[in-house]
Amino acid sequence: MNFWCERAWLPTGLAERVLIRVEDGRISSVSTVDTIPLGVRRLHGVVVPGFANAHSHAFHRALRGRTHDGGGTFWTWREGMYALAEKLTPQSYYRLARAVYGEMALAGVSTVGEFHYVHDRSNEFGHCLREAAADAGIRLTLLDTCYLAGGIDQPLNEVQQRFSDGTAEAWANRVRELKSDNVMRVGAAIHSVRAVPRDQIPVVAQALPDAPLHVHLSEQPAENEACLAAYGLTPTGILAEAGALSPRTTAVHATHLTPEDIALLGGSGTGACFCPTTEADLADGIGPARELADAGSPLSLGSDQHAVIDPLLETRALEHNERLRTGQRGRFSPAELLQAATRHDALGWDAGRIEVGAPCDLVAIGCSTPRTAGSLPQQVFLSATASDVDTVVVGGRVVASGGVHETLGDVGRLLADAIEELWA
């Protein structure tokens, strides 16, 4: 299928009346036309590349709207998350993840990075996540996560035993059995410096040397305090010592950093993935996004615990958090925000641009909805939400249109059924 775009965001900027031809799921030509050829699918509004959700915990979606009584902190929220993790089976996780990835597809996500740590020393859960992504029509990077301790020098609790392989070597041996294909890439993750002992971090960092490596970093001040007390270094310092910082690494959250931390991350080309709606929901704080970008850390975005699945809201929140933090507007240009929202390379894929040779991933955002009417096309990122996504194309195939998933149908019903099953 070929596509005509009323407006499309190309590497050179916004262009009008753009014809995109597709062969084998990749863009074979991009041109501007005065006459629309017959048989071409029309995409109205502003068409941007497919979004990359660089940080997901799919099972957390079952917590949405269930954690807001009684106040608390990240640490009390975590107890509810453990209670949910205890209930998961491969079959129930498949049904939930299929619906969650369907929700992502409706919102314009074409690649998701699943930070996967519920594996019961088996790859069965990982295979179920791959099938869920295939059913939803999106790509998956399975960031299989090493998780060995309940905290620095603390044993695992009963639920955390489900997350652990016992040693980093045992984790690495299991993960090497997973195979990448046209739906799934296999990557590695260090859960955090509190969950992977200092001497085990290098093993994880080196296990898959050509694959993406992700790590939760300094999400909470308590993590930094425990690390400094135990090791005399910040979590960033521990990762640098272990050789875990590099252009293939993404630090997730990166909220509570010192100037030295920022310099280490930027100087090594380590990316930073912000999850603004989760960081707000869990009262994590606001990280130094502009400083990291200026230091050399490419930014990406994720929906993490899925309090919201809306790449446009995450993108806007990145800018709005900077405004709240600094008292300045326009901390990121619309083009920079789009780049952060489409960083598929952080997940090991070459998507995220509308140009010849790239996978044909397209998201058509309506410009005449109650939210976007009157917006300048180049600023629609700062007014639109996922509700304004009209058509989503992944690899040249339409996966969602008019708010309906082409193969899954009623995603809301799938979500309700899968979540009810877990909490029954």
Side-chain angles (χ1 to χ4, degrees):
M1 184 180 294
N2 300 319
F3 302 91
W4 174 85
C5 309
E6 186 177 16
R7 299 181 186 88
W9 205 310
L10 307 181
T12 54
L14 202 62
E16 297 186 355
R17 301 177 64 80
V18 175
L19 177 64
I20 299 171
R21 295 192 180 276
V22 184
E23 293 181 8
D24 297 325
R26 291 185 174 269
I27 298 172
S28 60
S29 70
V30 180
S31 60
T32 56
V33 297
D34 292 324
T35 303
I36 305 171
L38 293 175
V40 171
R41 179 141 183 173
R42 300 187 182 201
L43 302 179
H44 295 283
V46 173
V47 177
V48 300
F51 299 123
N53 187 348
H55 189 68
S56 163
H57 301 295
F59 78 93
H60 291 191
R61 174 62 180 83
L63 293 168
R64 185 189 295 178
R66 291 173 172 263
T67 65
H68 301 289
D69 288 340
T73 65
F74 166 85
W75 305 102
T76 56
W77 168 88
R78 190 175 69 159
E79 295 307 312
M81 182 270 287
Y82 286 160
L84 174 61
E86 194 171 21
K87 296 174 178 286
L88 292 172
T89 66
Q91 295 74 29
S92 66
Y93 202 2
Y94 160 73
R95 287 187 285 273
L96 177 60
R98 178 183 59 172
V100 173
Y101 295 157
E103 185 180 2
M104 290 184 195
L106 292 177
V109 172
S110 58
T111 303
V112 59
E114 185 63 39
F115 201 100
H116 171 54
Y117 55 83
V118 183
H119 32 59
D120 280 345
R121 303 193 183 200
S122 161
N123 287 323
E124 186 176 4
F125 279 94
H127 292 311
C128 289
L129 289 168
R130 182 208 175 276
E131 292 309 306
D135 289 352
I138 67 175
R139 302 182 198 89
L140 169 72
T141 297
L142 188 73
L143 298 161
D144 200 291
T145 304
C146 187
Y147 196 124
L148 303 174
I152 295 175
D153 295 327
Q154 294 180 18
L156 297 162
N157 66 31
E158 185 176 351
V159 178
Q160 289 168 334
Q161 292 286 348
R162 301 196 73 183
F163 310 160
S164 177
D165 290 276
T167 67
E169 282 292 350
W171 165 85
N173 289 334
R174 176 181 57 76
V175 172
R176 291 188 187 110
E177 295 176 359
L178 291 163
K179 303 301 180 185
S180 296
D181 55 30
N182 62 344
V183 171
M184 183 176 80
R185 295 278 190 271
V186 180
I190 301 161
H191 181 274
S192 57
V193 298
R194 55 187 164 82
V196 181
R198 183 181 193 174
D199 63 343
Q200 300 283 288
I201 292 174
V203 178
V204 184
Q206 297 161 17
L208 302 175
D210 299 319
L213 173 67
H214 288 220
V215 55
H216 289 135
L217 180 66
S218 294
E219 183 177 3
Q220 289 286 319
E223 176 184 318
N224 290 355
E225 292 161 7
C227 190
L228 283 166
Y231 304 135
L233 293 171
T234 65
T236 303
I238 292 293
L239 294 175
E241 170 194 77
L245 302 182
S246 74
R248 70 182 181 92
T249 306
T250 296
V252 181
H253 302 304
T255 307
H256 302 281
L257 302 179
T258 67
E260 293 76 18
D261 292 338
I262 294 171
L264 283 170
L265 292 167
S268 62
T270 298
C273 177
F274 284 82
C275 306
T277 61
T278 287
E279 288 147 10
D281 184 75
L282 298 181
D284 287 343
I286 299 173
R290 184 71 263 176
E291 288 88 339
L292 281 164
D294 289 344
S297 289
L299 302 187
S300 56
L301 291 166
S303 60
D304 194 354
Q305 59 133 340
H306 312 307
V308 171
I309 292 179
D310 189 330
L312 291 158
L313 285 183
E314 300 290 353
T315 302
R316 184 146 69 252
L318 180 68
E319 167 64 20
H320 284 179
N321 282 353
E322 279 291 303
R323 295 181 185 188
L324 289 170
R325 187 174 70 89
T326 67
Q328 299 174 349
R329 302 180 82 239
R331 296 282 287 175
F332 291 101
S333 69
E336 287 177 309
L337 293 174
L338 177 62
Q339 187 175 39
T342 56
R343 284 238 26 243
H344 298 254
D345 58 327
L347 300 172
W349 298 89
D350 67 348
R353 62 199 187 282
I354 301 175
E355 66 179 12
V356 173
C360 184
D361 294 359
L362 309 173
V363 179
I365 303 168
C367 289
S368 56
T369 74
R371 290 157 297 279
T372 60
S375 298
L376 295 173
Q378 61 269 30
Q379 294 186 24
V380 75
F381 260 41
L382 297 172
S383 60
T385 72
S387 297
D388 305 308
V389 170
D390 179 74
T391 305
V392 181
V393 178
V394 180
R397 182 171 70 91
V398 175
V399 299
S401 181
V404 177
H405 197 284
E406 292 288 305
T407 57
L408 298 182
D410 187 348
V411 170
R413 184 70 263 162
L414 291 176
L415 284 163
D417 290 346
I419 294 168
E420 182 180 355
E421 173 188 356
L422 285 169
W423 290 118

